Amino acid sequence: MSNRLERWINQSAEERCKIYIFFTTVGSFVARAVEFGKIPFFSDKHNFLNQIFVKNCWAWTILLISLLAVVRMVFEKVPLRKIYLIILRLLFGTLYWYVCTSVIDGIKDNLGKCTPGPAETMQLCRAQGGVWKYVFDISGHMFMMVYCNLFITSHLEEMHGDEGPEGGSIPSRVISTLCLILVSLFDVMMIFTVIYWHSPPEKILGCLIGVAGWTLTFKQLVKLLL
């Protein structure tokens, strides 16, 4: 059991990408067909893991990857060219996060129905005491958890490729462990997102947006800059 868990935690970004797409697609339709019992903590979207970590997953990703870059620059004398690439990826990732979340929120806020009342936007509906019913609500949580996990995993792969058989510095290994804990947490929260929240198309589209962001960040961006 421990070996399987270790293999999963150390799964490459390429493999994770395939698994995330498969699990989200199949799991979403299974969750719709099968009535899963409510687990009190995880079926509550207000639980502290969701509020503190999932809703702020890009901020946590920026924090840990930035710390890792600084530690590697100070303790491992990593070439500035690699630090420059990390900074560019973080900047591009922030832009991608902002654009995608703005579009997702715009779709959610404008493509809906107010009950009761004729209000055309969510803000007007709620201001009039109505309830805004979403017509199509792309899973922003699925998008960001997939993107963040692939982002973190890809950086860890590159780092371990640079370290060689002796491994990195102790601070670097500590932060890498924190990164893997965060990735594991998002994996768990993804499972419950697939089980309890959103329709299958909303979850699948969210996952694909995350995969597209990772592809742009780690494949196309490098081709453009290097």
Side-chain angles (χ1 to χ4, degrees):
M1 181 69 179
S2 60
N3 289 336
R4 290 180 183 177
L5 181 61
E6 184 177 351
R7 280 200 301 272
W8 170 251
I9 291 174
N10 294 313
Q11 196 81 246
S12 71
E14 292 279 354
E15 289 301 315
R16 280 180 176 274
C17 181
K18 298 172 187 175
I19 292 168
Y20 288 155
I21 294 172
F22 176 81
F23 172 74
T24 304
T25 303
V26 175
S28 294
F29 286 103
V30 170
R32 167 162 282 193
V34 178
E35 187 69 30
F36 287 98
K38 296 287 186 181
I39 299 177
F41 181 81
F42 290 103
S43 61
D44 179 9
K45 65 181 180 181
H46 298 295
N47 72 70
F48 78 90
L49 292 178
N50 189 52
Q51 296 297 314
I52 296 175
F53 292 99
V54 177
K55 285 194 172 183
N56 301 296
C57 57
W58 183 241
W60 287 105
T61 300
I62 290 176
L63 174 64
L64 289 178
I65 296 300
S66 298
L67 284 174
L68 194 56
V70 171
V71 163
R72 296 189 67 207
M73 186 171 60
V74 172
F75 292 96
E76 300 170 21
K77 309 301 180 185
V78 172
L80 286 177
R81 171 181 162 277
K82 292 193 174 183
I83 302 300
Y84 164 74
L85 184 57
I86 292 172
I87 293 171
L88 283 178
R89 283 172 173 162
L90 287 171
L91 290 173
F92 178 82
T94 301
L95 177 63
Y96 188 77
W97 161 79
Y98 178 79
V99 170
C100 289
T101 52
S102 296
V103 171
I104 289 171
D105 288 342
I107 292 172
K108 178 176 66 175
D109 294 348
N110 293 289
L111 295 183
K113 296 180 181 178
C114 186
T115 305
E120 296 181 356
T121 66
M122 184 177 68
Q123 288 80 7
L124 288 173
C125 178
R126 290 179 174 174
Q128 295 171 8
V131 176
W132 188 256
K133 294 185 177 180
Y134 303 124
V135 172
F136 194 70
D137 181 14
I138 300 170
S139 178
H141 283 183
M142 185 61 68
F143 148 54
M144 281 313 305
M145 286 190 287
V146 168
Y147 184 51
C148 288
N149 273 9
L150 295 176
F151 193 99
I152 293 170
T153 305
S154 294
H155 274 294
L156 293 181
E157 284 178 36
E158 289 185 354
M159 186 188 75
H160 293 317
D162 293 339
E163 287 173 355
E166 295 182 359
S169 63
I170 291 176
S172 176
R173 291 200 295 270
V174 169
I175 298 172
S176 296
T177 301
L178 292 176
C179 285
L180 290 175
I181 291 172
L182 190 66
V183 167
S184 300
L185 172 62
F186 291 158
D187 282 338
V188 171
M189 298 306 287
M190 263 189 258
I191 292 171
F192 290 103
T193 299
V194 167
I195 292 174
Y196 292 122
W197 311 111
H198 297 277
S199 67
E202 292 167 350
K203 288 177 280 197
I204 294 168
L205 186 54
C207 175
L208 292 177
I209 294 171
V211 170
W214 169 72
T215 303
L216 289 171
T217 308
F218 284 88
K219 298 181 184 295
Q220 301 306 317
L221 187 65
V222 173
K223 289 180 182 178
L224 287 173
L225 297 175
L226 299 180

